[in-house]
Amino acid sequence: MSTSMRVVELVRFGDADTAFAPRELPRPTPGPGQLLVRVEATSVNPLDLQTRRGDYRDEVALPAVIGNDVSGVVVGTGPGADDFRPGDEVWYLAPVFTGQGTYAEFHVVDQAVVARKPAGLSHVEAAGLALVGMTAWEGLVERAGLRVGERVLVHGGAGGVGSVAVQLASALGAEVVTTARARDHEFVTGLGADHTIDFSAGDYVPQVRALGAVDVVLDTVGGDTLSRSPEILADRGRVVSIVDIADPQNLLAAWGVNATYHFVFVSPGRAKLDALGRLVDQGKLRPVIGAVLPLADVAQAHTLLEGGPTTGETRRRPRGKIAVAVRR
Ligand SMILES: NC(=O)c1ccc[n+]([C@@H]2O[C@H](COP(=O)([O-])OP(=O)(O)OC[C@H]3O[C@@H](n4cnc5c(N)ncnc54)[C@H](OP(=O)(O)O)[C@@H]3O)[C@@H](O)[C@H]2O)c1
């Protein structure tokens, strides 16, 4: 049996086409409480793009294997890792900026953050759901405490996190308002959005106000969404931000509506995955996979995700997650 594995390493910060190199590394060994997982699929997230560009150069020493989503199969267990057995199909979010990442054939992880993969999802689908699903769950459920009958605004409902957040909020019984380009309105309505607003065609604030105040805002886009949220929030409304804010924000108006602000950096954990898995099993949540590339084409996966906003009717970037099939 081979004891090496293929990985794709980040070797220099910068453009995707010069940042990565394939390499053979020794397979890692699971320590106490850890699993050795054969990675079947991973996915790329904006965090990967930011890491590749060097936004976190203080956290990431080069060369580094990056990436955080995993769906795979347990192939080894360390001492005391009794929750799983070899052959179990699992999915998880690998800890951010800690240890080897997931652009690799094998990965070692603490069993505490691993869950059984929902049977109804392929590995590619599960890898496309873990990070974005856990972020939406942490934001809407654990932090904002979204309740049945409340009205929520999801900024960027057609995006990776947004497309899960819309489904989640709808499954929780909330009335869902979301911003997306007009060409994505049918898509987000299909995910469960009750009201759609084209953010590229004008100010969203008066359009939200016309529908009534919202109880929760989920910000997946940044800009001035935090300072403008009080204009649309009900009294004691909650705002959840998952994005880095570059500019100072004036939140004085938040006092007027007794607002609560939550800042979320998603953390690994089995409970969130199990909660998402139950929604998948009930048919209330589906990952949206826009493209699948092989591990050797990670740079191309980055370029695709970076395709960013498109102009006119031509969409260069696929809608949904860009997954990476690791096993040949
Ligand atoms: N804190 C955390 O734990 C955490 C976790 C996950 C993600 N994030 C961050 O959250 C952000 C979103 O991640 P993602 O994976 O969902 O990214 P994504 O897939 O790129 O989605 C972003 C979406 O926002 C839309 N959008 C762009 N400008 C908008 C605007 N002004 N108003 C409304 N929607 C707009 C985009 O539409 P077009 O493509 O049509 O432009 C796209 O659909 C990233 O910055 C990421 O780093 C943070």
Side-chain angles (χ1 to χ4, degrees):
M1 191 180 82
S2 163
T3 54
S4 67
M5 64 173 179
R6 283 183 308 130
V7 304
V8 172
E9 278 189 330
L10 178 64
V11 291
R12 67 182 66 82
F13 297 118
D15 291 341
D17 52 355
T18 54
F20 294 106
R23 204 174 154 197
E24 290 275 330
L25 288 183
R27 271 187 209 178
T29 308
Q34 291 187 321
L35 308 172
L36 176 64
V37 174
R38 187 178 71 223
V39 180
E40 299 283 330
T42 181
S43 85
V44 292
N45 290 287
L47 174 66
D48 305 26
L49 306 184
Q50 294 149 11
T51 305
R52 192 205 76 223
R53 291 178 194 138
D55 294 3
Y56 302 105
R57 57 181 74 222
D58 293 344
E59 313 276 352
V60 179
L62 298 185
V65 179
I66 67 168
N68 298 91
D69 280 315
V70 173
S71 184
V73 178
V74 175
V75 292
T77 55
D82 301 330
D83 295 356
F84 298 91
R85 289 195 197 150
D88 286 348
E89 297 194 315
V90 294
W91 65 319
Y92 56 92
L93 169 66
V96 177
F97 305 140
T98 308
Q100 178 209 299
T102 64
Y103 297 175
E105 283 183 302
F106 292 89
H107 186 257
V108 155
V109 63
D110 289 343
Q111 67 167 5
V113 303
V114 174
R116 274 166 221 286
K117 179 179 76 65
L121 293 185
S122 68
H123 284 296
V124 159
E125 288 174 319
L129 181 61
L131 185 147
V132 291
M134 293 167 82
T135 306
W137 181 272
E138 199 159 328
L140 290 179
V141 178
E142 294 182 359
R143 305 294 287 280
L146 182 65
R147 292 186 290 269
V148 178
E150 288 193 315
R151 189 178 295 130
V152 57
L153 169 63
V154 176
H155 285 281
V161 177
S163 59
V164 179
V166 167
Q167 295 181 68
L168 194 51
S170 175
L172 291 166
E175 181 182 342
V176 184
V177 185
T178 194
T179 54
R181 289 178 207 274
R183 61 159 185 249
D184 289 327
H185 283 187
E186 203 179 316
F187 169 64
V188 292
T189 301
L191 298 175
D194 299 291
H195 312 279
T196 51
I197 295 170
D198 183 358
F199 68 84
S200 66
D203 187 7
Y204 69 92
V205 167
Q207 298 181 67
V208 176
R209 288 174 76 123
L211 298 168
V214 300
D215 304 288
V216 171
V217 173
L218 177 66
D219 178 17
T220 75
V221 300
D224 61 2
T225 39
L226 294 189
S227 58
R228 298 207 71 196
S229 289
E231 298 178 49
I232 53 170
L233 272 183
D235 192 57
R236 294 181 185 266
R238 293 92 76 197
V239 180
V240 178
S241 173
I242 64 164
V243 285
D244 289 344
I245 308 291
D247 301 316
Q249 303 268 311
N250 183 342
L251 301 183
L252 279 177
W255 267 266
V257 288
N258 289 294
T260 305
Y261 281 73
H262 299 272
F263 299 94
V264 170
F265 192 88
V266 65
S267 55
R270 187 182 299 169
K272 283 190 282 269
L273 291 163
D274 284 342
L276 293 167
R278 282 190 288 276
L279 288 174
V280 168
D281 292 344
Q282 292 163 13
K284 294 178 175 168
L285 178 61
R286 288 303 300 179
V288 182
I289 306 296
V292 186
L293 286 91
L295 180 61
D297 292 344
V298 151
Q300 198 188 330
H302 274 233
T303 305
L304 262 189
L305 182 60
E306 249 163 354
T310 51
T311 49
E313 286 309 302
T314 324
R315 172 180 280 280
R316 281 177 298 149
R317 186 186 146 177
R319 185 190 283 141
K321 292 282 303 183
I322 295 159
V324 175
V326 174
R327 198 151 180 233
R328 276 192 267 231

